[in-house]
Amino acid sequence: MALPAPRWLRREVLVGLALGQFVSLLITSTGFSSSELARRGVNAPTSQSLLNYILLALVYGGIMIYKRQLLTVKWYYYLILSIVDVEANYIVVKAYQYTSLTSVMLLDCWAIPCVIFLTWIFLKTKYGLRKLFGVGICVAGVVLVVFSDVHASERKSKGPSPLKGDMLVIAGATLYAVSNVTEEYIVKKSSRIEVMAMLGIFGAIISGIQISILEREELRSTEWNASAVLPFIGFALAMFLFYSTVPIILKICGATMLNLSLLTSDMWAVLIRIFAYHEKVDWMYFVAFAGTAIGLIIYSYKGSREAAEDTAQVTGTTDEEAAIENHMAEQVPGAGEDDGPDSNKSPSEAAISR
């Protein structure tokens, strides 16, 4: 009698690993697109995100209209979420004007301790000493990146103002944490399709207003050729695919595997910097990357298998319940409203998925 395959050799785990590297490359490609636009003197961070929000609104909004789904959360919660998300994207993309691609990718890890703090305060999530120790190592890696940029101002590859760029990334990562925790709170009372649709609608409106105020002259003065248009389109498509793929990964293998997969985006960023930009990478980046990797592994180690299985089970149950409710809504008019706020559950660690 053949023994069952180990859990790490099962099909769903291999698919989860492949999709994890796919979204990791998507995140790296967004950084590559933003860095290319910055090198060409295009300074329009809000405009880069506008097309992504429009795609989210059209696709997921169209699904809601087709299924005749009604809102289960008040619209002003989505407005607040969209404001935070738009400004987080604006600040992080703005940072590419001042610091390097690798610094931005590594400093994004600052969102993890911020999420832990916010979920502990507002969502009453409990964390053990092992996870807190892992977060401490991650923060140490972040500090090492900043230290490296402070003492590397003579290197052109770091950007015109590395320290300013690092501070912008940390601020943007903090806003990402606020956005993720808010999204987790909302998704417990709603569905992911509704969240994506409303985030796209309000995000597009807010981005349009901000573009008319801050970036109108920049867009007029930009020479719109292929080298400027293609990075814009590539950034939007990569962001849309990232938003759409993350729920699938959470369903297959959970938030722990997702975060470990996203960690490799730093490695892809270093490879792009070496082979595409032909730049030399400071040795501190490798130390910081190793420290960040070790910290995230320690953070994710506690019950990693159980956490992945529980997350997949909860997320799969959520999808099945939502599918049943949507099917009933199509058959019975007016049955699209949710009967209670607890119909959809999201694991607390899904907030770190960004």
Side-chain angles (χ1 to χ4, degrees):
M1 182 175 180
L3 295 176
R7 184 179 183 274
W8 290 102
L9 296 179
R10 294 179 183 176
R11 178 184 177 185
E12 62 271 15
V13 176
L14 297 178
V15 173
L17 288 171
L19 289 177
Q21 293 309 301
F22 175 64
V23 297
S24 180
L25 284 172
L26 289 176
I27 288 295
T28 307
S29 65
T30 60
F32 178 76
S33 300
S34 298
S35 182
E36 281 297 307
L37 289 172
R39 287 164 61 92
R40 288 173 169 78
V42 180
N43 183 17
T46 308
S47 302
Q48 290 181 227
S49 302
L50 176 61
L51 182 56
N52 170 50
Y53 290 121
I54 293 176
L55 290 175
L56 289 175
L58 292 177
V59 174
Y60 292 102
I63 294 175
M64 286 190 64
I65 294 175
Y66 175 77
K67 295 183 176 181
R68 300 180 181 178
Q69 290 182 245
L70 301 178
L71 290 181
T72 56
V73 177
K74 298 295 184 180
W75 63 270
Y76 46 81
Y77 287 109
Y78 292 115
L79 177 61
I80 296 174
L81 173 63
S82 300
I83 292 174
V84 176
D85 193 74
V86 169
E87 299 310 319
N89 287 329
Y90 173 81
I91 292 175
V92 171
V93 175
K94 186 76 173 178
Y96 286 98
Q97 304 288 331
Y98 303 103
T99 191
S100 65
L101 172 65
T102 311
S103 295
V104 175
M105 302 303 294
L106 280 174
L107 288 171
D108 275 341
C109 296
W110 175 254
I112 294 177
C114 293
V115 165
I116 290 178
F117 177 77
L118 292 174
T119 52
W120 177 63
I121 293 295
F122 296 104
L123 301 183
K124 308 302 180 184
T125 304
K126 296 181 180 180
Y127 297 95
L129 293 178
R130 180 180 296 173
K131 288 190 175 183
L132 295 179
F133 179 71
V135 170
I137 297 180
C138 290
V139 174
V142 170
V143 173
L144 188 61
V145 174
V146 177
F147 179 80
S148 174
D149 279 349
V150 168
H151 292 273
S153 58
E154 71 277 3
R155 287 194 285 269
K156 295 181 180 180
S157 63
K158 298 293 182 180
S161 182
L163 182 59
K164 182 178 179 180
D166 291 345
M167 294 301 103
L168 286 175
V169 177
I170 292 176
T174 304
L175 288 180
Y176 275 143
V178 176
S179 174
N180 288 334
V181 175
T182 305
E183 185 175 342
E184 179 187 359
Y185 173 78
I186 293 177
V187 83
K188 288 180 179 179
K189 305 176 181 297
S190 178
S191 66
R192 286 186 293 274
I193 292 179
E194 178 180 323
V195 172
M196 291 295 100
M198 299 305 295
L199 180 63
I201 293 173
F202 283 112
I205 295 174
I206 296 169
S207 297
I209 296 174
Q210 186 163 307
I211 289 172
S212 64
I213 298 175
L214 300 178
E215 301 178 5
R216 182 170 53 185
E217 296 300 326
E218 178 69 23
L219 294 177
R220 288 179 178 177
S221 60
T222 300
E223 182 180 354
W224 293 104
N225 49 31
S227 62
V229 173
L230 291 179
F232 260 89
I233 298 177
F235 179 89
L237 292 178
M239 287 296 292
F240 175 77
L241 291 175
F242 174 80
Y243 276 53
S244 302
T245 308
V246 164
I248 303 175
I249 301 177
L250 291 176
K251 180 178 179 180
I252 294 176
C253 54
T256 301
M257 185 67 72
L258 173 64
N259 283 278
L260 291 176
S261 299
L262 289 179
L263 180 63
T264 60
S265 63
D266 303 323
M267 180 184 66
W268 298 121
V270 171
L271 293 178
I272 289 177
R273 186 173 175 181
I274 293 175
F275 294 103
Y277 295 148
H278 304 288
E279 297 175 357
K280 294 183 178 180
V281 179
D282 193 278
W283 64 271
M284 285 188 178
Y285 283 110
F286 297 101
V287 177
F289 175 80
T292 303
I294 293 173
L296 284 177
I297 291 174
I298 293 175
Y299 165 80
S300 304
Y301 178 78
K302 183 179 180 181
S304 59
R305 296 183 179 180
E306 292 80 6
E309 291 173 354
D310 291 342
T311 303
Q313 182 179 1
V314 172
T315 310
T317 303
T318 300
D319 292 339
E320 291 176 359
E321 292 175 355
I324 294 174
E325 291 176 0
N326 293 335
H327 181 69
M328 293 176 61
E330 291 178 357
Q331 293 181 347
V332 182
E337 294 185 4
D338 198 355
D339 294 330
D342 296 329
S343 60
N344 289 327
K345 295 292 184 181
S346 174
S348 60
E349 293 197 15
I352 310 177
S353 63
R354 293 276 303 267

